[in-house]
Amino acid sequence: MQTVARLIFLTALTQCCSLDTTVAQSYNENALGVIAEILRRGQQQMDLEGLDERDQLLAEYDFIVVGAGTAGCALAARLSENPKWKVLLVEAGAGESYVMDMPIAVHYLQLGEMNWKYRTQPSTSYCLAMNDNRCNWPRGKVMGGSSVLNYMMYTRGNRRDYDRWAELGNPGWSYDQLLPYFRKYEGSRIQDADTGPTHPGVRGPVEIKYVRDVSRVADAFVAASQQAGLPRGDYNGESQLSVSYLQANLGNGTRWSSNRAYLYPIKGKRRNLHIKKKALVTRILIDPQTKSAYGIKLLSNGRMQKVLARKEVIVSAGAINTPQLLMLSGVGPAKHLRELGIKPLADLAVGYNLQDHIAPLLTFTTNTTTLRLNEMLNVNAVGDFFRGRGPLMLPGGSEAISFYALDADERAKGWPDVEIFAVGTGLHFNPALRLAFGLKPAIYQAMFGELQRDEVNAFTLFPMILRARSRGRIKLQSRNPQQHPLIYPNYFHDPYDLNITVRGLEQCMRLMEMPAFRAINARILEKQPPACRRYKWLSSEYFACYARHFTVTIYHYSGTAKMGPRSDPSAVVDARLRVHGIDRLRVADASIMPYLIAGHPNGPVYLIAEKAADMIKQDHNYIA
Ligand SMILES: Cc1cc2nc3c(=O)[nH]c(=O)nc-3n(C[C@H](O)[C@H](O)[C@H](O)COP(=O)(O)OP(=O)(O)OC[C@H]3O[C@@H](n4cnc5c(N)ncnc54)[C@H](O)[C@@H]3O)c2cc1C
Ligand SMILES: *[C@@H]1O[C@H](CO)[C@@H](O)[C@H](O)[C@H]1NC(C)=O
Ligand SMILES: *[C@@H]1O[C@H](CO)[C@@H](O)[C@H](O)[C@H]1NC(C)=O
Ligand SMILES: *[C@@H]1O[C@H](CO)[C@@H](O)[C@H](O)[C@H]1NC(C)=O
C-alpha cells in the first residue's frame, strides 16, 4: 500500500509541480500516502470548471475578455448576465485541479505549468540571494489566474489609496464611491467585522473568512503586536492600523479563486458565455485608420485564429502580460515599438509605472512547535482538511497580519507604510520554498543548512513595504508573443524604499522583545548571507545588505497601464478604463492602478473588475 501510494505521489507531484524526485522523496512515508489520497480524490473533481469549452468558436462575439484571472473571470461572469450579449473569455492556461484547492500546497504551484515563471532582469543591488541575481516573478497561467497561485490574504487597502486615485483626475474612484463595489463581490464571514459605514459585503461571490487552527506562533504574534501598541481589529474596516488573524479567501474547505467564485456557480447555465482555454492571445486587432479595436488573434493547438468583437475587447491579462499584449498590438511607447519594428498606433506610456511590494523575510527560532509540512501531512490532518479545517487550510502557513505607520505623519492619516505578516513555518520545512524563491544553494546552506539538519522549530516574519517610491518597467524583448517580456523592477532605486524596509525589519526585532514572543523563546536566526558578514550584526547597514539579498517579492505587480486623464502623459486608460486614443478597447486588471494600494491587491482587482463591468453595461445601455 505504502509503495503504491509513494509511486502515485511521486508521479503526481513531479508531473504537477516539476519537482525533482529527490526533493519529493524527502517527505516521509506517511505524508506520501496522505497526498496520494488527496490526489486520488482530486482526479474525480478535475474538470469541475470545464465550462462550455468550445472547440468551435463563433466568428464574432459582442465582448472578448483576454485572460481568465482575478479580473477576467469576474468580468466574463458579469457581462454574460445580459443574455443578449455573446461573451468570449480566452485563457492561456488550463483548468484548475484539486491540488490547487489545498491552501498549504501553495508553494508547489509555482513550480508547475500553472505558472508563467517570469524572472526579473539581473541586478547588482537587489535579488542578490537569488540565482543569477534574478528574482522569480510567479504569475498564474490557469483558469483563475494568479488567484489560484496566491496566498489568499484578503485586504481592501486603505481609504487614502483610493481617494488619491480619485484626486489624480479619476472621477468615481474615491473610497466612498467604491464601497458598493467592494460589497458587491465580498462574501464576508468575518464575525467581528467593523460594522460602521465601511462594513463588508456578505452576499457577494468572493468568500472571506478567518484562517483557523493557527499555530502558537500566530497567537504570540497577535499578542506581541498588541503589546507593542497596535490595537486588535478589523484591518479591512475603518482603521487599518491594527493586528489580526488573517482574513483569507477560503470557502467551503478550499481556496476560493476567481474561477470558483464567479464561474463555477454559472456552470452550464450561460449559453452566451464561451470559454477558450489553452489559447494564447497574440494580438489585439486594431484598425489603423479608425484606431478602433475589432478583435483578437489567438494561438491554440499550434493554430492561429482570428475572432472578432462587435462591441469591445477587454484586456485582463495581468500587469505583466497586459502591457506586453498592448505593445505587441501597437499600443505603447512609440520609440520602443519602432525599435522592434512594430507600427505604433497610440503613443502611450505602457509598461511604465511598474510597482510591487517586497518583504525581506526574517527567520526566528522558537521552543514551541511550528508548522512542519512533513509532520502535518498525517491522516488526522487530511481528515480535517476534508472537513474544511486544520493546518492544511492555512495558505502556505500565513496566519496573522498587522499594519504600521512608522512615519508619524502617516500615522496621523491612518495610512500604513509597513505591513508585517507571520508565517508559522521556516523555509527549511518546505523544499518547495527555496525553489520557488530561486535561492542560491550556497546562501540557502549558509542560512538554513543547520536548521534543516537539526529540524529546528522556526517561523518567519515578512515586513512588507506598502508604498514603495521606486518604479520599474516592462519592455518587450521581441515581437514574438511567446517570448517573455523584460522585467526591470528597480527595487530600492528611490532611497526611501531601503530606508523604510530597514525600519520594517527593525520593527520585527522590536516584537521579539515583547512578553508574548519571549514566552516562546523567539530569537532571530543568527546566520547571515556571507556578503553581509562584514557589517555589524543587526545594524541598519547589516539590514540594508540583508534586504538587498532577500528582496522577496510578495507578487503584487501592478500599474503598467496606468489610469489617469488624457492630460497626464503617464496615463494609458481613462477613468472608465478605455485606452486613450483607441476605441472599443479597455483594460481591467491590476495594471490600471495609478498607485499600488497599501495591502494585498487581489480584492482590489475584483473591485476594478466589478466597476469595469458596471461601466461597460452603462456605456452599452444595459440595465439589469
Ligand atoms: C504567488 C502569488 C501570491 C499572491 N498572494 C496574494 C495574496 O495573498 N493576497 C492578494 O490579495 N494578492 C496576492 N497576489 C496577487 C494577486 O493574486 C494578483 O494581484 C491578482 O491575481 C491579479 O489579478 P489580474 O486579473 O490582474 O491578473 P491575473 O490573475 O494574473 O490574470 C491574468 C490572466 O490572464 C492570462 N493571460 C495572460 N496573458 C494572456 C494571453 N496573451 N492570452 C490568454 N491569456 C492570457 C493569464 O494566464 C492569467 O490567467 C499573489 C500573487 C501571486 C502570483
Ligand atoms: C460546497 O461543497 C459541497 C460538497 O463538495 C458542494 O455540494 C456545495 O455545492 C459547495 N458549496 C458551494 C457554495 O460551492
Ligand atoms: C531613514 O531616514 C531617516 C530620515 O532621513 C533617518 O533619520 C533614519 O536614520 C533612516 N533610517 C534608516 C534605517 O536608514
Ligand atoms: C520556552 O522558553 C521560555 C523562555 O525561556 C520558557 O519560559 C518556556 O517555559 C519554554 N517553553 C518550553 C515548552 O520549553
Side-chain angles (χ1 to χ4, degrees):
M1 172 54 209
Q2 281 292 9
T3 331
V4 177
R6 186 186 185 90
L7 213 75
I8 299 175
F9 168 66
L10 289 179
T11 316
L13 206 57
T14 40
Q15 279 174 2
C16 143
C17 308
S18 330
L19 268 193
D20 67 63
T21 22
T22 47
V23 175
Q25 272 162 355
S26 68
Y27 293 107
N28 66 31
E29 295 290 334
N30 199 13
L32 303 183
V34 161
I35 298 188
E37 171 61 13
I38 293 168
L39 293 171
R40 195 184 61 74
R41 294 202 188 196
Q43 285 304 328
Q44 299 163 1
Q45 306 211 13
M46 271 308 187
D47 68 341
L48 268 179
E49 110 300 305
L51 188 121
D52 299 329
E53 201 188 343
R54 303 292 154 110
D55 289 321
Q56 280 298 324
L57 292 175
L58 303 177
E60 194 176 59
Y61 290 83
D62 291 290
F63 294 95
I64 297 174
V65 180
V66 180
T70 300
C73 292
L75 266 165
R78 291 302 184 198
L79 293 179
S80 61
E81 282 170 356
N82 180 351
K84 295 217 178 77
W85 285 344
K86 292 217 178 312
V87 179
L88 173 65
L89 175 62
V90 188
E91 168 55 44
E96 266 185 281
S97 81
Y98 200 67
V99 190
M100 304 179 195
D101 283 352
M102 200 173 137
I104 200 77
V106 59
H107 315 296
Y108 291 97
L109 307 182
Q110 292 185 28
L111 310 178
E113 289 308 306
M114 57 295 262
N115 179 3
W116 286 87
K117 297 195 179 127
Y118 291 120
R119 295 178 77 197
T120 60
Q121 289 302 298
S123 165
T124 52
S125 52
Y126 54 81
C127 303
L128 303 182
M130 284 60 166
N131 293 319
D132 315 316
N133 295 0
R134 303 176 70 180
C135 276
N136 288 342
W137 269 30
R139 226 29 235 176
K141 185 182 187 181
V142 53
M143 288 300 294
S146 299
S147 75
V148 175
L149 260 58
N150 78 16
Y151 287 69
M152 298 143 66
M153 305 173 78
Y154 179 65
T155 63
R156 275 187 181 179
N158 192 273
R159 163 187 291 277
R160 299 232 161 216
D161 295 321
Y162 302 97
D163 290 348
R164 173 160 66 171
W165 292 6
E167 281 156 20
L168 293 169
N170 297 302
W173 290 89
S174 74
Y175 191 64
D176 285 332
Q177 288 168 306
L178 292 173
L179 276 171
Y181 293 108
F182 279 113
R183 292 188 191 121
K184 187 167 185 185
Y185 75 77
E186 284 172 336
S188 177
R189 311 271 173 265
I190 301 298
Q191 312 84 350
D192 57 351
D194 191 335
T195 54
T198 62
H199 70 85
V202 293
R203 271 187 283 278
V206 177
E207 295 275 328
I208 299 153
K209 59 155 84 160
Y210 280 126
V211 294
R212 45 178 285 185
D213 306 315
V214 296
S215 72
R216 297 252 172 83
V217 171
D219 297 332
F221 176 81
V222 171
S225 306
Q226 289 175 277
Q227 288 156 357
L230 272 191
R232 170 100 182 256
D234 176 5
Y235 59 83
N236 287 320
E238 196 57 61
S239 171
Q240 198 187 353
L241 299 178
S242 56
V243 60
S244 168
Y245 293 98
L246 183 67
Q247 301 186 19
N249 293 129
L250 283 164
N252 214 5
T254 67
R255 164 190 294 280
W256 209 255
S257 68
S258 66
N259 184 32
R260 193 175 275 273
Y262 283 92
L263 297 183
Y264 281 33
I266 58 173
K267 182 179 177 177
K269 294 180 193 156
R270 292 269 173 91
R271 304 193 45 200
N272 59 327
L273 170 60
H274 289 180
I275 296 174
K276 180 76 183 165
K277 297 182 213 168
K278 297 193 215 167
L280 181 76
V281 176
T282 58
R283 199 144 71 90
I284 305 153
L285 300 169
I286 302 171
D287 184 311
Q289 256 70 53
T290 62
K291 301 270 171 87
S292 181
Y294 63 92
I296 57 167
K297 260 176 126 171
L298 63 81
L299 178 65
S300 163
N301 244 329
R303 247 186 77 226
M304 273 293 207
Q305 201 174 340
K306 260 190 200 176
V307 190
L308 304 184
R310 262 187 296 271
K311 294 193 167 63
E312 293 195 25
V313 175
I314 302 138
V315 186
S316 300
I320 300 171
N321 296 51
T322 287
Q324 179 191 25
L325 184 60
L326 288 175
M327 288 190 278
L328 288 170
S329 313
V331 178
K335 186 163 165 283
H336 177 51
L337 298 190
R338 277 198 203 98
E339 279 161 11
L340 291 155
I342 299 169
K343 187 166 176 269
L345 299 174
D347 183 8
L348 295 169
V350 173
Y352 287 89
N353 193 43
L354 173 63
Q355 295 165 68
D356 190 22
H357 285 150
I358 50 139
L361 57 90
L362 280 182
T363 302
F364 299 89
T365 58
T366 167
N367 66 2
T368 193
T369 311
T370 54
L371 304 173
R372 297 165 168 229
L373 190 68
N374 47 354
E375 289 171 21
M376 280 159 61
L377 286 165
N378 54 53
V379 177
N380 288 341
V382 171
D384 278 347
F385 172 67
F386 289 127
R387 286 187 289 272
R389 51 176 204 243
L392 303 193
M393 288 294 293
L394 292 170
S398 298
E399 304 188 286
I401 182 170
S402 61
F403 293 91
Y404 292 88
L406 297 181
D407 276 329
D409 47 338
E410 300 307 318
R411 195 149 53 241
K413 296 181 206 152
W415 201 5
D417 40 36
V418 164
E419 174 191 316
I420 301 178
F421 62 92
V423 173
T425 188
L427 232 56
H428 58 300
F429 284 128
N430 188 342
L433 262 174
R434 66 170 186 271
L435 298 174
F437 290 141
L439 287 182
K440 290 175 179 165
I443 292 193
Y444 178 81
Q445 268 313 318
M447 303 270 315
F448 303 101
E450 249 172 67
L451 284 188
Q452 181 169 340
R453 197 192 62 218
D454 301 338
E455 300 210 349
V456 177
N457 279 309
F459 64 93
T460 315
L461 296 188
F462 289 78
M464 179 171 104
I465 64 166
L466 290 171
R467 286 186 283 126
R469 294 185 188 162
S470 307
R471 294 290 178 268
R473 185 172 169 196
I474 305 279
K475 287 170 89 171
L476 290 180
Q477 184 167 184
S478 76
R479 292 172 60 174
N480 178 357
Q482 287 173 284
Q483 194 163 34
H484 284 183
L486 303 172
I487 302 172
Y488 301 90
N490 289 333
Y491 294 132
F492 304 134
H493 182 76
D494 186 309
Y496 164 85
D497 294 353
L498 192 57
N499 179 292
I500 193 86
T501 300
V502 169
R503 287 153 67 198
L505 288 160
E506 288 167 349
Q507 182 62 32
C508 294
M509 294 305 297
R510 270 194 289 281
L511 289 177
M512 294 308 124
E513 304 301 315
M514 300 300 137
F517 269 135
R518 291 199 157 186
I520 60 168
N521 201 21
R523 289 160 189 273
I524 184 152
L525 172 68
E526 294 202 20
K527 298 280 179 200
Q528 306 88 8
C532 301
R533 283 184 191 139
R534 63 193 144 119
Y535 300 105
K536 185 166 170 278
W537 175 234
L538 305 186
S539 63
S540 49
E541 292 74 22
Y542 169 76
F543 276 134
C545 176
Y546 184 82
R548 291 192 187 278
H549 280 75
F550 282 85
T551 321
V552 172
T553 176
I554 307 298
Y555 327 104
H556 295 172
Y557 341 118
S558 50
T560 48
K562 180 187 166 184
M563 171 172 70
R566 188 84 228 223
S567 55
D568 173 356
S570 64
V572 173
V573 299
D574 69 10
R576 298 187 78 76
L577 306 186
R578 297 172 298 206
V579 173
H580 286 300
I582 305 284
D583 277 343
R584 306 203 292 163
L585 180 62
R586 283 189 224 236
V587 175
D589 61 23
S591 324
I592 68 103
M593 296 189 186
Y595 286 90
L596 179 50
I597 53 96
H600 300 247
N602 195 50
V605 172
Y606 286 126
L607 170 94
I608 290 166
E610 288 283 11
K611 182 160 167 62
D614 242 31
M615 293 190 294
I616 293 167
K617 286 173 174 175
Q618 286 160 5
D619 291 353
H620 294 272
N621 302 313
Y622 174 71
I623 298 122

